[in-house]
Amino acid sequence: MQVETLRDVLHWTSDFHQHLTACLKHCADSNKSERAKMLLKYLSEHEEKLAHVIHEFETKGDEHALNTWCYEYLNKNPIVQHHHCDAPFSQLSTTEIMRVIIDQHNQVIELYRYLHDRADIPSAQELLEMLKSFEEHEMMLMVQSANRSEDM
C-alpha cells in the first residue's frame, strides 16, 4: 500500500492491527502452553478492537488533518510487520509474544510521534497526538493484562 496522506497512515494502521489479529488468532490454538493460548486469544481480541477504533478515526476524523501529506517516514523507516507469522506465535512463550507485540506497537507509536513532530496543521497535530496517546495507552493495558495473567 502506498502511504501518502494521514488518511493512508490510518488505513495502514487499521490493516496492521487487523493482520496482527489474524496472526494471533491463527496461532492461539497451536501453542502448547495454556497461558500462551489465553494470551494470544486476549491479544487477538484487543488488536481487533484497536483496528476498529483506528478505522473510526479514519472515517470520522477532520478532513484537513486526514488529507495532510506524510509519505516520507515509511519510505525511510519501513516498519517490520508480523515477521512472527512465518515463525508463528504458536512457538513462542508468553514473554516472547509480549516482546514482539511491544516492538510492533512501539514502531507504530514512533511513526505517530515522527509525523506529529513534522505536522504543520494544528488539526493534524491534534489527531496524531490522540493516536499516539491511544496506542500508548492500549499497549500499556495489554502489558498490564499479560503481567496479571503471569501472576496467576
Side-chain angles (χ1 to χ4, degrees):
M1 172 182 186
Q2 183 66 26
V3 176
E4 296 177 340
T5 65
L6 191 49
R7 182 186 314 277
D8 296 334
V9 169
L10 293 180
H11 186 78
W12 176 88
T13 307
S14 181
D15 285 352
F16 164 87
H17 288 296
Q18 200 60 47
H19 182 77
L20 192 51
T21 297
C23 187
L24 292 163
K25 277 183 184 177
H26 171 75
C27 295
D29 292 329
S30 304
N31 199 300
K32 292 179 177 26
S33 164
E34 284 304 314
R35 284 180 194 239
K37 285 180 184 183
M38 288 184 347
L39 178 62
L40 289 167
K41 287 178 183 178
Y42 163 74
L43 291 172
S44 70
E45 291 168 3
H46 199 93
E47 290 294 332
E48 193 165 26
K49 290 175 188 171
L50 292 176
H52 177 72
V53 171
I54 297 296
H55 180 72
E56 290 297 313
F57 275 107
E58 179 186 355
T59 58
K60 296 179 181 175
D62 178 272
E63 283 298 312
H64 294 292
L66 293 171
N67 292 328
T68 301
W69 289 92
C70 55
Y71 54 87
E72 69 183 53
Y73 181 85
L74 289 173
N75 290 339
K76 294 178 184 174
N77 303 293
I79 293 178
V80 178
Q81 187 175 5
H82 316 305
H83 62 278
H84 277 80
C85 280
D86 296 331
F89 284 104
S90 61
Q91 299 171 3
L92 301 177
S93 70
T94 56
T95 303
E96 293 167 326
I97 292 167
M98 286 310 299
R99 193 175 305 132
V100 171
I101 296 298
I102 290 168
D103 177 61
Q104 296 285 296
H105 282 269
N106 278 335
Q107 290 181 62
V108 173
I109 291 166
E110 188 55 39
L111 167 63
Y112 290 151
R113 183 175 290 120
Y114 176 89
L115 294 174
H116 176 270
D117 291 346
R118 280 146 188 81
D120 295 331
I121 301 169
S123 60
Q125 290 173 334
E126 182 181 323
L127 177 61
L128 287 160
E129 181 60 36
M130 285 190 318
L131 289 165
K132 182 181 74 68
S133 295
F134 172 72
E135 288 280 353
E136 288 171 337
H137 178 74
E138 294 302 315
M139 184 175 69
M140 182 187 67
L141 286 175
M142 287 188 288
V143 169
Q144 285 176 344
S145 293
N147 287 339
R148 277 196 301 267
S149 72
E150 285 295 316
D151 292 341
M152 294 194 311

